Amino acid sequence: MLIGVRACGVCHGDLMVQEGAFPFARYPIVPGHEIAGIVEAAGDGVDWLKRGARVGLSALGSSCGRCAACLGSDEFLCSALGFTGVTGDGGYQELMVANASYVVRLPDELGFSDAAPLMCAGLTVYSALRHAGFKPGNRVGVIGLGGLGHMGVLFARAMGGRVAVVSTSASKESEAKELGAELFVHSKTRAPAEALSAWDGGANIILATASSIESANAAFPGLAANGTLVLLGAGPGDVSLNPMALIMGRRRVMGSPAGSRKDLHDTLEFAAKHGVRPRVTPFPLARAADALAQMHEGRLHGRAVLVME
Ligand SMILES: [Zn+2]
Ligand SMILES: [Zn+2]
């Protein structure tokens, strides 16, 4: 299938491709896995999407279709995963070729720039909340307020959760409150674990979206009993936890990658129906390198999105 890309989100994963952090990446490569666009040509044998259909593609570019993960609607865990923008060319271009079986239809309510950040950042946080056993009324701690973090706040709120944001930057407080957080913890002036523990008994779920593993380690004791720490950002360093805090509170630690086609379908439907719209900073395609640099330096609000003319 040939897709005319209209918008492509700029994800931290693209920076990792640029830095050579994925050993399985193929070079040279066109990065980008938050793709929203239009079908330009459906391709032979494709009758479920027609030319002109509004579509999206996530990091899940292909999978084997036969293994236990694939048969269980959990294709992102397939060991033969084709990773858009990492093992095959992605969306930092005006026209791209995609495996039509992994291309999804966009709900009418979502514009291209709104849909693009949902394809990875939105999908990742929605899938993480789902797999961590989120229930309405849960207290969700979100570490970091970048592309993933801001979507974490929006989804947790729209799903009926309460939210605390933990950030190293005091200037993020107003943005966190605008997005719907009831508590903001500036981690340089207050210990995050102590602040979260004092929040009606701790967080039921912590989404660690920052790439700093130290920030996840520091927040972990702020989990409520039976709470789950979910790692979404992979920086250098190791997870280091007190075993008694794990055992006595029956706490859990898990990681969560982007998500399956089922997760993506549900993310898009939920966002469309419940008014979840990312904060977008648009860039022309020619300024992709600038968008990556600004994300790296933490100067962006919400998600940078490359918007094609
Ligand atoms: Zn991503
Ligand atoms: Zn498979």
Side-chain angles (χ1 to χ4, degrees):
M1 166 169 290
L2 186 66
I3 299 176
V5 181
R6 296 299 162 87
C8 184
V10 176
C11 177
H12 201 266
D14 306 339
L15 206 56
M16 293 171 71
V17 172
Q18 192 181 38
E19 291 169 345
F22 291 116
F24 49 88
R26 188 208 81 194
Y27 295 96
I29 189 84
V30 178
H33 56 257
E34 287 191 342
I35 295 147
I38 282 185
V39 176
E40 292 288 343
D44 289 345
V46 178
D47 59 3
W48 61 94
L49 285 168
K50 301 264 187 275
R51 181 180 155 86
R54 301 171 69 257
V55 294
L57 182 67
S58 72
L60 178 68
S62 64
S63 63
C64 82
R66 295 178 297 278
C67 71
C70 286
L71 294 174
S73 297
D74 216 0
E75 316 92 310
F76 208 84
L77 305 189
C78 176
S79 59
L81 179 72
F83 202 134
T84 314
V86 180
T87 63
D89 285 344
Y92 285 30
Q93 52 183 341
E94 289 167 324
L95 289 168
M96 73 168 290
V97 176
N99 182 329
S101 295
Y102 295 81
V103 173
V104 299
R105 190 182 292 279
L106 294 180
D108 292 339
E109 296 92 330
L110 299 173
F112 295 119
S113 296
D114 287 336
L118 295 171
M119 306 306 292
C120 179
L123 167 63
T124 301
V125 296
Y126 183 85
S127 173
L129 287 168
R130 164 183 273 178
H131 292 287
F134 173 88
K135 293 186 184 68
N138 274 178
R139 292 177 299 280
V140 179
V142 176
I143 305 175
L145 200 61
L148 256 69
H150 96 287
M151 296 264 36
V153 178
L154 292 172
F155 271 104
R157 289 289 294 138
M159 291 162 81
R162 298 168 58 192
V163 175
V165 168
V166 177
S167 173
T168 54
S169 163
S171 66
K172 295 274 189 180
E173 178 162 6
S174 58
E175 189 180 348
K177 295 281 171 70
E178 280 166 33
L179 293 168
E182 64 181 56
L183 177 67
F184 179 82
V185 182
H186 178 220
S187 57
K188 286 187 175 160
T189 56
R190 192 175 180 200
E194 183 189 292
L196 291 175
S197 298
W199 184 38
D200 291 348
N204 304 109
I205 295 173
I206 294 175
L207 299 179
T209 75
S211 53
S212 151
I213 297 299
E214 292 77 33
S215 66
N217 290 335
F220 170 75
L223 276 178
N226 292 303
T228 303
L229 168 66
V230 191
L231 291 176
L232 301 174
D238 291 322
V239 179
S240 161
L241 306 170
N242 180 300
M244 285 304 282
L246 262 183
I247 295 165
M248 296 310 290
R250 201 186 291 116
R251 296 181 175 92
R252 298 183 296 167
V253 181
M254 63 181 271
S256 192
S260 65
R261 283 173 289 187
K262 176 177 175 7
D263 291 325
L264 179 59
H265 171 268
D266 296 350
T267 300
L268 294 171
E269 288 297 314
F270 185 89
K273 300 276 179 298
H274 297 271
V276 177
R277 301 291 183 272
R279 292 201 161 185
V280 166
T281 304
F283 285 82
L285 179 58
R287 285 185 58 215
D290 190 22
L292 282 165
Q294 288 197 30
M295 176 175 61
H296 189 45
E297 291 155 15
R299 288 195 278 131
L300 289 168
H301 289 285
R303 195 58 139 183
V305 174
L306 305 174
V307 178
M308 316 308 168
E309 292 301 305

